[in-house]
Amino acid sequence: MSGTLRELRVEDLRVTFDGFTAVDGVHLRVGPGDLRFLIGPNGAGKTTLVDAVTGLVPATGSVTFGSTPLLGRPVHRIVRLGIGRTFQTAAVFENLTVLQNLDIAAGAGRRPHTLLRRRRGVPEEVAAALETVGLAGERDRQAGELAHGQKQWLEIGMLLVQDVQLLLLDEPVAGMSHEERDATGELLHRIGGERTVVVIEHDMDFMRAFASSVTVLHAGRVLSEGTVAQVQADPRVQEVYLGHAPDRPVEA
Ligand SMILES: Nc1ncnc2c1ncn2[C@@H]1O[C@H](COP(=O)(O)OP(=O)(O)OP(=O)(O)O)[C@@H](O)[C@H]1O
Ligand SMILES: [Mg+2]
């Protein structure tokens, strides 16, 4: 599955909960290798958009990854297409070691007989993921003992061992220290060259430092899209974030 980078294409996406439209006709294209930030106020529909792409909520419209349509597919089939996501709260097995967590994630993509076979040493993809996410020195520690930031990196590592081509990360740096944020931004750049990354984020400094492109959602719709500079200069974005249109653009 690796080697072929595909475009994520979202057309006229709609998600409705009991008559309330959380995602209201979203068009979005994320090209191969992009590091796209998805920003917007609370309730803008960011998480729901990712839920729809990953099969967690029903939606109408169309979502394709490369030439493959995603809407209506069950979650595990979407994972097998090389699409992985993290959640606003990290989901790792706290009682298992870092290595065991990665091994289980890698096993999710393996056939049962390969899983049962006794393996000597650390599988290549697991060793590579440990290096990439900077947890090689922590591999035998219990995941529950890791710092908050390290747990998020482990979760990203669990996607990497599954050879995920499209990563959708929901607020990965929430609650992180400045150092952890910077390390995460660098991590996203390292993996972004070979994979497509969509990051939901509230932290504007983090976005300015690391985004390749930005989509702003507001009330279930795309409000603005472009480079960091273009989005920051957009009066509609300023109005949503500041509650009024300022006389001059927000400083970059
Ligand atoms: N399962 C659900 N049932 C009903 N309404 C929902 C459900 N999930 C989300 N919503 C509503 O849909 C809207 C969009 O929510 P969503 O979680 O996608 O926003 P968000 O942009 O991720 O916000 P935040 O920045 O706070 O995480 C909100 O008004 C939310 O209350
Ligand atoms: Mg959210």
Side-chain angles (χ1 to χ4, degrees), residues 174-221:
M176 281 190 184
S177 68
H178 274 293
E179 291 74 19
E180 288 176 327
R181 277 167 204 234
D182 287 347
T184 304
E186 282 153 25
L187 167 60
L188 297 183
H189 267 265
R190 273 202 301 284
I191 61 181
E194 308 154 26
R195 301 163 202 265
T196 306
V197 184
V198 176
V199 186
I200 296 178
E201 202 40 77
H202 276 295
D203 186 314
M204 292 297 146
D205 290 333
F206 182 67
M207 179 200 79
R208 274 190 281 268
F210 296 106
S212 301
S213 59
V214 185
T215 299
V216 186
L217 280 190
H218 176 50
R221 293 166 176 266

Side-chain angles (χ1 to χ4, degrees), residues 39-41 201-202 204 216-217 236-243:
I39 66 167
E201 202 40 77
H202 276 295
M204 292 297 146
V216 186
L217 280 190
R236 288 168 303 179
V237 176
Q238 295 167 7
E239 198 172 338
V240 160
Y241 274 97
L242 303 173

Side-chain angles (χ1 to χ4, degrees), residues 3-171:
T4 44
L5 278 172
R6 287 151 287 180
E7 183 180 58
L8 174 69
R9 198 180 287 197
V10 174
E11 309 273 0
D12 200 26
L13 189 74
R14 268 194 181 76
V15 179
T16 304
F17 299 112
D18 288 329
F20 171 76
T21 305
V23 176
D24 190 11
V26 165
H27 293 263
L28 185 71
R29 285 183 183 198
V30 187
D34 201 352
L35 177 48
R36 172 71 53 90
F37 273 58
L38 196 56
I39 66 167
N42 292 116
K46 306 179 295 295
T47 298
T48 305
L49 171 63
V50 167
D51 288 348
V53 169
T54 52
L56 284 176
V57 295
T60 61
S62 137
V63 178
T64 52
F65 186 47
S67 56
T68 312
L70 303 184
L71 288 191
R73 278 178 200 265
V75 173
H76 69 275
R77 302 254 337 259
I78 293 175
V79 171
R80 249 183 261 152
L81 289 166
I83 300 170
R85 57 97 52 93
T86 61
F87 291 86
Q88 279 179 253
T89 47
V92 299
F93 300 104
E94 306 250 331
N95 296 326
L96 301 181
T97 66
V98 168
L99 189 56
Q100 285 168 331
N101 269 278
L102 290 170
D103 228 7
I104 284 170
R110 257 187 229 135
R111 290 214 297 270
H113 73 268
T114 338
L115 246 188
L116 290 173
R117 196 187 301 152
R118 240 187 131 83
R119 276 176 281 103
R120 258 177 256 116
V122 178
E124 201 178 304
E125 74 271 25
V126 171
L130 277 171
E131 284 298 325
T132 304
V133 302
L135 291 176
E138 320 291 333
R139 56 173 247 194
D140 296 319
R141 281 183 67 196
Q142 282 208 338
E145 294 171 5
L146 296 178
H148 172 73
Q150 291 176 320
K151 282 185 195 168
Q152 283 286 344
W153 301 334
L154 175 55
E155 228 191 339
I156 293 171
M158 290 165 75
L159 298 180
L160 296 180
V161 295
Q162 294 173 62
D163 200 19
V164 162
Q165 296 303 305
L166 170 65
L167 291 89
L168 302 142
L169 309 176
D170 200 350
E171 302 194 27

